[in-house]
Amino acid sequence: MLNENMKAIRKSKGLSQQELAVRLNVVRQTVSKWEQGLSVPDSDMLISISEALETPVSTLLGENVIVPEADDLRAISAKLEVINLQLAQRKITKKRVFHWLLISLCVLSTAVFATLLALESPYLGWDYSDPETAVLGVIFHSFEWLFIRIVPMLLIGAAIGIFLTRRKE
């Protein structure tokens, strides 16, 4: 049991008998004898072997070690399928978030437009002799002017984006 487990674990770690022997400060023939079942390491050496192989002593002594098939296509295929599903789900989620951001942009733009329309540009009747009022009036007028010029293009772009990101059932 120990010899089979030791050999299987060593091979799964990609170590040769010589590399393991160097880690344990023994000769290669000693590792070979352990793996053939011709001799058994003492308890201190068993602990050193478990540390060198990064494996619990209980695994070395009693549990059967199942060597995984390196080219198990079903396992690889299943993992790739899970990864592809996760990537597809992430893409759908990003698309939904973008869709709702575009809808929010349209609603917000429409609300600001309605507010500006309802206010009927009150800054036009302000007294601009006061410098603070003049600055505030210019800022408000600039915002309104830019909003009226830019938002229609944003709304058209957002409407096209909403159409392109809609859920197709």
Side-chain angles (χ1 to χ4, degrees):
M1 188 69 66
L2 171 66
N3 58 338
E4 295 166 1
N5 290 345
M6 193 168 131
K7 185 175 185 178
I9 293 169
R10 176 184 58 79
K11 286 186 176 184
S12 72
K13 300 281 183 183
L15 294 173
S16 66
Q17 287 182 345
Q18 180 64 37
E19 291 168 330
L20 181 58
V22 168
R23 288 186 182 185
L24 298 172
N25 294 323
V26 297
V27 294
R28 186 200 57 80
Q29 288 81 358
T30 304
V31 174
S32 177
K33 286 181 182 178
W34 291 336
E35 289 182 357
Q36 291 175 13
L38 300 176
S39 67
V40 180
D42 63 6
S43 60
D44 291 334
M45 186 54 72
L46 195 57
I47 292 171
S48 298
I49 294 169
S50 75
E51 290 171 357
L53 295 176
E54 299 170 350
T55 305
V57 175
S58 61
T59 302
L60 286 172
L61 290 176
E63 298 174 8
N64 286 330
V65 177
I66 300 170
V67 180
E69 291 290 323
D71 57 348
D72 187 3
L73 292 178
R74 283 186 226 169
I76 293 170
S77 174
K79 288 178 184 177
L80 286 175
E81 186 176 347
V82 168
I83 291 170
N84 283 336
L85 287 173
Q86 289 171 342
L87 289 174
Q89 187 63 36
R90 188 176 297 160
K91 183 178 178 182
I92 289 169
T93 303
K94 283 182 182 180
K95 187 176 175 181
R96 264 192 217 136
V97 167
F98 188 64
H99 181 79
W100 285 106
L101 283 174
L102 291 173
I103 290 174
S104 300
L105 177 67
C106 286
V107 169
L108 182 67
S109 298
T110 305
V112 171
F113 183 77
T115 303
L116 290 175
L117 193 61
L119 291 176
E120 297 179 354
S121 304
Y123 59 88
L124 295 176
W126 292 353
D127 178 22
Y128 283 93
S129 60
D130 180 26
E132 291 175 358
T133 306
V135 169
L136 189 60
V138 168
I139 290 172
F140 193 69
H141 179 70
S142 299
F143 170 74
E144 186 179 70
W145 186 85
L146 282 173
F147 188 83
I148 297 300
R149 300 286 187 254
I150 294 174
V151 166
M153 291 182 282
L154 281 175
L155 283 173
I156 291 169
I160 292 170
I162 290 169
F163 176 75
L164 293 175
T165 59
R166 73 190 187 285
R167 187 185 309 176
K168 297 171 188 163
E169 295 180 28

